[in-house]
Amino acid sequence: MSSPNKQTKTNSRMSKKKVSPASTSHRLSPHVRPERYRIHIEPDIPGGTFVGTAHIDLLIAKPTREIHFHANELVVHGAELESSENLKPHTIGYDIERESVVLHFEQPVSGAHTLALDYAGKINEHLVGFYRSTYTVKGETRHLATTQFEATDARRAFPCIDEPSHKATYELSFTVEKQHTVISNTHETAMTELENGKRHIQFAPTPKMSSYLAAFVVGEFEHLEGRSKRGVRVRVNTTPGKKHQGAYALDVTLRILDFYETYFGVPYPLDTLDLIAIPDFSSAAMENWGAITFREPALLVDSKNSSSAIKQRVVEVIAHELAHMWFGNLVTMEWWTHLWLNEGFATWMSYNAMDHLFPEWRVWTQFISNEYAMALELDGLTSTHAIEIPVKHPREIREIFDTISYLKGASVIRMIADYLGEKKFRAGLRLYMLRHAYGNTETEDLWDALSTVSGEDVRAIMKEWTGKPGYPLVKIKKHPKGLLVEQERFFASEVERKVSKDGTLWKIPTTISIGKETKLKRLLLGKKRELLPIDWDKSSWVKLNFKHSTLCRTHYDEALFLGVKEAKFTKELKARDRIGFLGDLMASARSGVASNNDLVQALNWFADERYYTIWVAISGTLGALSGLLSGTSLEPAFKEYARGLYSPVAHSLGWKSKRGEGHLEAKQRGLIIGGAGIFGVPEIVREARARFEAHAKHKKQIEPDLRSAVYATVALHGGEKEWKQMLALYDETELQEEKSRLAQAMVLFRQPKLIARSISFAVGPKVRLQDSVHVLVAMARGNDKARQTLWNYLETNWEKQSARFQSGLTYFARLINALLSGMTGPGELQEAEQFLKKHMWKGGERAVAQAIENGKANTAWKKRAVRELKSYFTKGK
Ligand SMILES: [Zn+2]
């Protein structure tokens, strides 16, 4: 999951004692170990408060006068050590910086105790801790209350040692309104109707687990239910009136659960599994053990209105969260430095599960154009960070729920899994699960298990990949005695490449294929420069990094480059290699290692492509070039060139799905029609407008897979009338997926008046907080006419907007990145940089540095691209 929030000050009415000097670290004392929590909570959802009692069984290993627990925005009214003397602390203090409550005792205490605490807290509206979510049923507003604890917000719901290595069991109980139910980690063991009209609900003890995995949701729900092959009860829960949208998720969950039990060789550790759709939710989903929470479009599928892309997303998110039930929940990282183990693995595993359930989706090919490409893009910056990074403060922990942990993490796992081979990798995982079940691990523990089963020194191979930032550029060229290979760190930006002194050398597990007939060769590169005594002359082509399993960029000398062209045309180059090759080339052109002319030439090789996933890479490249050349003298010619690529594909695909067409064809049609529409292929624009008109008037619905494409085309080529029609459709639909689609199109209108109106709409009451920033990101990325207005708006309303996004500052950083990346005009970027220097927010430093670096890289790229492409785009004019 990913869920950031901003620190808020503690509301304390108790005495505030000075904190002892020992407490400068953000970790609490290792000598106080909770074994069991018994927690009772009574929420007042309309009032936004709750009261709680906690009984915590503790082992105090070393005598101490102070016991520290994490607590944030909690007020502890009473505390008592329930030992023979019933010891009470003489004061209860708060340490705001460390988000903790401190119990001071007259005498040192030690040994086994039960600590009883009475406390009260807030049900907030910031999507963290214990928070409130709002929805409507038939026009009537209703509330539910739910939790989101990862990474450091369990402390907003109960006092605890809120660190992943402090595993304990949890016995949760609740007193709630009689119309409410509670869903929590385990099954309900008792429900009693009380005389005051409320009900008391008790849950079974959890296994030993980390505090961030506890969860409870209070409100009105309906559900669909099924059983796995082994009999685990699985339910998909929704707010009233939506349970039918859970059918797809239920089917997928049951199949993935069975698959994982076989794959890991360890049964799912609980007897129940709830999936819950929450209307207000900051990330996609959260892997609470046995009670996974989701934002609605990551779980619910509407048979008439959901797109193929959303269905794939639902499967991916479920597969990711279910992987955590083992990897993350059963075996947990010792500290957040090793977060990437959880997230990288779950991301990698979700592709495994998708591939198992839906082989026809060819998701491993999609992996290259999605996860792998994004990881390489961010990690090409000097302002990136190593996968393993020391973090202390909650704010630093929130920051690392990012592309590096998830996507570079997944790419690194894929690289070593492919290098060792599927069988050995799986055997290593099983050994790791057996060794560490219910325990905590560091990255090296996984490498050790893999070493045991494979006989390879995995620690040594992986050291630089997780310990150092960045990844290598591998240059390969002809040599009289074979092939010469050189490595250096890859830089996305020409500016940084020229000044860098980084001498990191990676051990690069990779492969080389030499022509179609020759066998694939497995390599472990490790030197600055090495000669591969490979007889390549007999074959027509050489391709390094077969299937793009290795996290690197490759640059070929001219002869080898032309060889790859040959392989492409003889169809000997497989899809993953075609995508990877194009990605390498674009990144190299951006960083000045390759020429932009080569890039455009190579794009022409792809004119006959019809395969969806390759078109994701082609349209990504066209989109990047289009942004770059926007406003330059080459813009009209470039657009014509892009139309020339899209047009024949759009015509051969047509608007209507054909009999027997599958998932990828459906996605392909949306992608191509969208691209053709955005670049303005006249027939496509005309047809899109006509279809939208009929759709808006409820005469004929647009197929879900085409809606985003049609909405975007209409917005880019439409005006006020269409904006209002989209708003009416937005107001009408109850499906969040459809609302997002419409909102992300409404910000693409190009008239100044509509741009201003779209900004007000995106930050207004109609768009949920969790979606607001994504809508603005869509505007910053897709609407070059709006970028400056949006930036000016943010500058003017900085305090308000940055505070609004406090629960999702990493998403806010994404918006800043989208805006600054496009600032390639004179002085634009410098001005923004000045502003941000004065208005930096805590924890935003790295994200801002990345945004500025992207802006500078693109400015340099633009200058060079215009120069290099001039003759190509002006010939014959
Ligand atoms: Zn995750």
Side-chain angles (χ1 to χ4, degrees), residues 306-360:
S306 286
S307 66
S308 303
I310 277 286
K311 284 183 195 154
Q312 185 175 328
R313 178 77 179 140
V314 165
V315 181
E316 183 191 349
V317 176
I318 292 174
H320 178 110
E321 304 308 330
L322 286 187
H324 279 313
M325 300 298 114
W326 285 263
F327 212 103
N329 300 7
L330 181 63
V331 183
T332 313
M333 74 247 139
E334 196 278 330
W335 180 244
W336 300 102
T337 297
H338 306 278
L339 171 74
W340 85 275
L341 260 189
N342 271 12
E343 298 306 348
F345 182 84
T347 305
W348 176 83
M349 195 65 202
S350 70
Y351 274 78
N352 246 350
M354 281 194 283
D355 195 39
H356 177 77
L357 260 61
F358 302 100
E360 69 280 12

